[in-house]
Amino acid sequence: MRSTLLKALGPALAVLLFPVMAMADPIVGVWKTEPDRKNLISHIKITACGDNFCGKIQSAYDAAGKEVQTPNIGKKLFWDVASEGDGKYGGGEFWVPLIDVDAVPQMTLQGDQLMVKGCEHLVCAHQTWTRL
């Protein structure tokens, strides 16, 4: 009886627990970007979004560290990025605000460093983000 109950509930429990497992992923948190072409640094909040991950621009700072307001704060920077194992993440889409294009993201997590790369056809850009 017990084994029959576990077999019946197993798939349902897996579906219920997957978002909890995604939230515990080491990519979840707030990350500091490198300065962009406007010399602004952003804080990106990465969260579990369904079965995958998304990142939202939480705040922006000028070269002196003073918080600045930009129209991009609160917007999604990437979405539908999936864990590929071994600290690698990919798939989904990445929005590049400075040139207003979508790119294919590739991310590699090593400790408190997240190497972020986005490619649109043959043109690629990359940054290393630091966990806050």
Side-chain angles (χ1 to χ4, degrees):
M1 165 95 170
R2 185 175 183 192
S3 112
T4 304
L5 183 60
L6 285 175
K7 284 181 185 178
L9 292 177
L13 288 174
V15 169
L16 291 173
L17 292 176
F18 187 81
V20 173
M21 292 185 308
M23 287 179 59
D25 192 283
I27 198 172
V28 171
V30 180
W31 297 86
K32 177 182 170 183
T33 68
E34 291 181 32
D36 63 18
R37 285 189 255 170
K38 293 182 179 179
N39 210 26
L40 295 178
I41 294 169
S42 296
H43 290 178
I44 310 300
K45 184 174 184 176
I46 299 177
T47 59
C49 294
D51 295 344
N52 295 320
F53 301 95
C54 58
K56 188 182 283 189
I57 302 169
Q58 186 174 29
S59 53
Y61 302 86
D62 65 17
K66 180 181 178 205
E67 188 168 3
V68 297
Q69 294 300 312
T70 76
N72 297 328
I73 293 173
K75 291 186 179 179
K76 279 190 178 179
L77 188 61
F78 64 86
W79 51 93
D80 293 331
V81 171
S83 174
E84 298 173 345
D86 294 326
K88 298 199 181 303
Y89 300 83
E93 289 190 57
F94 195 101
W95 174 56
V96 183
L98 285 175
I99 53 177
D100 195 26
V101 298
D102 290 342
V104 177
Q106 298 172 352
M107 301 177 182
T108 304
L109 179 64
Q110 294 179 340
D112 287 335
Q113 302 285 306
L114 184 64
M115 280 62 75
V116 179
K117 180 179 178 183
C119 296
E120 173 65 18
H121 301 292
L122 297 176
V123 179
C124 295
H126 67 278
Q127 282 194 341
T128 299
W129 298 354
T130 306
R131 183 184 305 277
L132 290 177

